[in-house]
Each structure stands twice: as structure tokens, then as C-alpha cells.
Coordinates of all heavy atoms in Angstrom, one line a residue:
G252 N 36.7 -0.7 57.6 CA 37.0 -2.1 58.0 C 36.2 -3.1 57.2 O 36.7 -4.2 57.1
E253 N 35.0 -2.8 56.8 CA 34.2 -3.8 56.1 C 33.9 -3.2 54.7 O 33.7 -2.0 54.5 CB 32.8 -4.0 56.8 CG 33.0 -4.7 58.1 CD 31.6 -4.9 58.7 OE1 31.1 -4.0 59.3 OE2 31.1 -6.1 58.5
P254 N 33.8 -4.0 53.6 CA 33.5 -3.5 52.3 C 32.1 -3.0 52.2 O 31.2 -3.5 53.0 CB 33.8 -4.6 51.4 CG 33.7 -5.8 52.2 CD 34.1 -5.4 53.6
G255 N 31.8 -2.1 51.3 CA 30.5 -1.7 51.1 C 30.4 -0.1 51.0 O 29.4 0.4 50.5
G256 N 31.4 0.5 51.4 CA 31.5 2.0 51.3 C 30.3 2.7 51.9 O 29.8 2.3 52.9
L257 N 29.8 3.7 51.1 CA 28.7 4.5 51.6 C 27.4 3.7 51.7 O 26.5 4.0 52.5 CB 28.4 5.7 50.7 CG 29.6 6.7 50.7 CD1 29.3 7.8 49.7 CD2 29.7 7.3 52.1
M258 N 27.3 2.5 51.0 CA 26.1 1.7 51.1 C 26.0 1.2 52.5 O 25.0 1.0 53.1 CB 26.1 0.6 50.1 CG 25.9 1.1 48.7 SD 25.7 -0.3 47.5 CE 27.3 -1.0 47.6
R259 N 27.2 0.8 53.1 CA 27.2 0.3 54.5 C 27.1 1.4 55.5 O 26.5 1.2 56.6 CB 28.5 -0.5 54.7 CG 28.5 -1.3 56.0 CD 29.6 -2.2 56.2 NE 29.8 -3.2 55.2 CZ 29.1 -4.4 55.3 NH1 28.2 -4.6 56.2 NH2 29.3 -5.3 54.3
T260 N 27.8 2.5 55.3 CA 27.9 3.5 56.3 C 26.7 4.6 56.3 O 26.4 5.2 57.3 CB 29.2 4.3 56.2 OG1 29.3 4.9 54.9 CG2 30.4 3.3 56.4
N261 N 26.1 4.8 55.1 CA 25.1 5.9 55.0 C 23.7 5.4 54.8 O 22.8 6.2 54.9 CB 25.5 6.9 53.9 CG 26.7 7.7 54.3 OD1 27.5 7.4 55.2 ND2 26.9 8.9 53.7
I262 N 23.5 4.2 54.4 CA 22.1 3.7 54.2 C 21.8 2.9 55.4 O 22.4 2.0 55.8 CB 22.0 2.8 52.9 CG1 22.4 3.6 51.7 CG2 20.6 2.2 52.8 CD1 22.5 2.8 50.4
P263 N 20.6 3.3 56.1 CA 20.2 2.6 57.3 C 20.0 1.1 57.0 O 19.5 0.8 55.9 CB 19.0 3.3 57.7 CG 18.9 4.6 56.9 CD 19.7 4.4 55.7
S264 N 20.3 0.3 58.0 CA 20.2 -1.1 57.8 C 18.7 -1.6 57.6 O 18.4 -2.6 57.1 CB 20.8 -1.9 59.0 OG 20.2 -1.5 60.2
F265 N 17.7 -0.7 58.1 CA 16.3 -1.1 57.8 C 15.9 -0.9 56.4 O 15.0 -1.5 55.9 CB 15.4 -0.4 58.8 CG 15.3 1.1 58.5 CD1 14.4 1.6 57.6 CD2 16.0 2.0 59.2 CE1 14.3 3.0 57.4 CE2 16.0 3.4 59.0 CZ 15.1 3.9 58.1
R266 N 16.7 -0.1 55.6 CA 16.5 0.0 54.2 C 17.3 -0.9 53.4 O 16.9 -1.4 52.4 CB 16.8 1.5 53.8 CG 15.8 2.5 54.3 CD 16.0 3.8 53.6 NE 15.3 4.8 54.2 CZ 14.0 5.2 53.8 NH1 13.4 4.5 52.9 NH2 13.4 6.1 54.4
L267 N 18.6 -1.1 53.8 CA 19.5 -2.1 53.2 C 20.1 -3.0 54.2 O 21.1 -2.6 54.8 CB 20.5 -1.4 52.3 CG 21.6 -2.2 51.7 CD1 21.0 -3.2 50.7 CD2 22.6 -1.4 51.0
P268 N 19.5 -4.1 54.5 CA 20.0 -5.0 55.6 C 21.5 -5.4 55.3 O 21.8 -5.6 54.1 CB 19.1 -6.2 55.6 CG 17.9 -5.7 55.0 CD 18.3 -4.7 54.0
H269 N 22.3 -5.4 56.3 CA 23.7 -5.8 56.2 C 23.8 -7.2 55.6 O 24.8 -7.5 54.9 CB 24.5 -5.7 57.5 CG 24.6 -4.2 57.9 ND1 25.5 -3.4 57.3 CD2 24.0 -3.5 58.9 CE1 25.4 -2.2 57.9 NE2 24.5 -2.3 58.8
T270 N 22.9 -8.1 55.9 CA 23.0 -9.4 55.3 C 22.8 -9.4 53.8 O 23.5 -10.1 53.1 CB 21.9 -10.3 55.9 OG1 20.6 -9.7 55.7 CG2 22.1 -10.6 57.4
V271 N 21.9 -8.5 53.3 CA 21.8 -8.4 51.8 C 23.0 -7.8 51.2 O 23.5 -8.3 50.2 CB 20.5 -7.5 51.5 CG1 20.5 -7.2 50.0 CG2 19.3 -8.2 52.0
L272 N 23.6 -6.8 51.8 CA 24.8 -6.2 51.3 C 26.0 -7.2 51.4 O 26.7 -7.3 50.4 CB 25.2 -5.0 52.2 CG 26.4 -4.1 51.7 CD1 26.2 -3.6 50.3 CD2 26.6 -2.9 52.7
N273 N 26.1 -8.0 52.4 CA 27.1 -9.0 52.5 C 27.0 -10.0 51.4 O 28.0 -10.5 50.8 CB 27.1 -9.6 53.9 CG 27.6 -8.7 55.0 OD1 28.3 -7.7 54.7 ND2 27.2 -9.0 56.2
E274 N 25.7 -10.4 51.1 CA 25.5 -11.4 50.0 C 25.9 -10.8 48.7 O 26.5 -11.5 47.9 CB 24.0 -11.8 50.0 CG 23.6 -12.7 51.2 CD 22.1 -12.9 51.2 OE1 21.4 -12.4 50.3 OE2 21.6 -13.5 52.2
E275 N 25.6 -9.6 48.4 CA 26.0 -8.9 47.2 C 27.5 -8.8 47.0 O 28.0 -9.1 46.0 CB 25.3 -7.5 47.1 CG 23.8 -7.5 47.0 CD 23.3 -8.0 45.7 OE1 23.9 -7.8 44.7 OE2 22.2 -8.6 45.7
I276 N 28.1 -8.5 48.1 CA 29.6 -8.3 48.1 C 30.2 -9.7 47.9 O 31.2 -9.9 47.1 CB 30.1 -7.7 49.4 CG1 29.7 -6.2 49.4 CG2 31.6 -7.8 49.5 CD1 29.9 -5.5 50.7
A277 N 29.6 -10.8 48.5 CA 30.1 -12.1 48.3 C 30.0 -12.6 46.8 O 30.9 -13.3 46.3 CB 29.4 -13.1 49.2
M278 N 28.9 -12.2 46.2 CA 28.8 -12.5 44.7 C 29.9 -11.8 43.9 O 30.4 -12.4 43.0 CB 27.4 -12.1 44.2 CG 26.3 -13.0 44.6 SD 24.8 -12.7 43.7 CE 24.1 -11.4 44.7
I279 N 30.2 -10.6 44.3 CA 31.2 -9.8 43.5 C 32.6 -10.5 43.8 O 33.3 -10.7 42.8 CB 31.2 -8.4 43.9 CG1 29.9 -7.7 43.5 CG2 32.4 -7.6 43.4 CD1 29.7 -6.3 44.0
T280 N 32.9 -10.8 45.0 CA 34.2 -11.4 45.3 C 34.3 -12.8 44.8 O 35.3 -13.3 44.4 CB 34.5 -11.3 46.8 OG1 33.5 -12.0 47.5 CG2 34.7 -9.9 47.3
G281 N 33.1 -13.5 44.7 CA 33.1 -14.8 44.1 C 33.4 -14.9 42.7 O 33.8 -15.9 42.2
M282 N 33.3 -13.8 42.0 CA 33.7 -13.7 40.6 C 35.2 -13.5 40.4 O 35.7 -13.5 39.3 CB 32.9 -12.5 39.9 CG 31.5 -12.8 39.7 SD 30.7 -11.6 38.6 CE 31.1 -10.0 39.4
G283 N 35.9 -13.3 41.5 CA 37.3 -13.1 41.5 C 37.8 -11.7 41.8 O 39.0 -11.4 41.7
V284 N 36.9 -10.8 42.1 CA 37.3 -9.4 42.5 C 38.0 -9.5 43.8 O 37.6 -10.1 44.8 CB 36.1 -8.5 42.6 CG1 36.5 -7.1 43.2 CG2 35.4 -8.3 41.3
E285 N 39.2 -8.8 43.9 CA 40.0 -8.7 45.1 C 39.7 -7.5 45.9 O 39.6 -6.4 45.3 CB 41.5 -8.7 44.7 CG 42.4 -8.8 45.8 CD 43.9 -8.8 45.4 OE1 44.2 -8.7 44.2 OE2 44.7 -8.9 46.3
L286 N 39.5 -7.6 47.2 CA 39.3 -6.5 48.1 C 40.6 -6.3 48.9 O 41.1 -7.2 49.4 CB 38.2 -6.8 49.0 CG 36.8 -6.9 48.5 CD1 35.8 -7.4 49.5 CD2 36.3 -5.5 48.0
K287 N 41.0 -5.0 48.9 CA 42.2 -4.6 49.6 C 41.9 -3.4 50.5 O 41.3 -2.4 50.0 CB 43.4 -4.3 48.7 CG 44.0 -5.5 48.1 CD 45.2 -5.1 47.3 CE 45.9 -6.2 46.7 NZ 47.1 -5.8 45.9
P288 N 42.3 -3.4 51.7 CA 42.1 -2.2 52.5 C 43.1 -1.1 52.1 O 44.2 -1.4 51.6 CB 42.4 -2.6 53.9 CG 43.3 -3.8 53.8 CD 42.9 -4.5 52.5
I289 N 42.7 0.2 52.2 CA 43.6 1.3 51.9 C 43.4 2.4 53.0 O 42.2 2.7 53.2 CB 43.4 1.8 50.5 CG1 44.4 2.9 50.2 CG2 42.0 2.3 50.3 CD1 44.5 3.4 48.8
P290 N 44.4 2.8 53.6 CA 44.2 3.9 54.7 C 43.6 5.1 54.1 O 43.9 5.5 52.9 CB 45.6 4.1 55.2 CG 46.4 2.9 54.8 CD 45.8 2.4 53.6
R291 N 42.8 5.8 54.8 CA 42.2 7.1 54.4 C 43.3 8.0 54.0 O 44.3 8.2 54.7 CB 41.3 7.7 55.5 CG 40.7 9.0 55.1 CD 39.8 9.5 56.2 NE 38.5 9.4 55.6 CZ 37.4 9.6 56.3 NH1 37.4 9.8 57.6 NH2 36.2 9.6 55.7
G292 N 43.1 8.7 52.8 CA 44.1 9.7 52.4 C 45.2 9.1 51.5 O 46.1 9.8 51.0
E293 N 45.2 7.8 51.3 CA 46.3 7.1 50.6 C 45.9 6.9 49.1 O 46.7 6.4 48.3 CB 46.7 5.8 51.2 CG 47.3 5.9 52.6 CD 48.6 6.6 52.6 OE1 49.4 6.3 51.7 OE2 48.9 7.4 53.5

């Protein structure tokens, strides 16, 4: 549901705070990268 893959789901937030991850993702999307959801297995 949220971008970040294994960084979001497998790295504990005390090691990689979600605010930092969200800022990094915002920088990537700010360059024009498009994020699209894809159902598992597709």
C-alpha cells in the first residue's frame, strides 16, 4: 500500500524512521519517477 518495499516492511522504524523513508521517496518522485501499485503475483 505504501512505497518503500522491504525497507518499509523489514527494517524496524527505530533503525530507519518512516519519516526519513518518506522524505527519500518524495525526492525520487520529485524527479518525475512514477509510482504505480501492482497486485502481488502480477
Side-chain angles (χ1 to χ4, degrees):
E253 293 182 278
L257 292 176
M258 290 186 295
R259 187 175 301 279
T260 60
N261 287 21
I262 299 175
S264 60
F265 68 87
R266 292 193 188 268
L267 177 60
H269 292 285
T270 54
V271 172
L272 185 57
N273 291 339
E274 289 171 5
E275 296 288 327
I276 292 168
M278 282 193 275
I279 292 168
T280 57
M282 292 190 304
V284 172
E285 184 179 3
L286 290 172
K287 287 186 178 180
I289 184 170
R291 177 175 248 170
E293 295 293 319

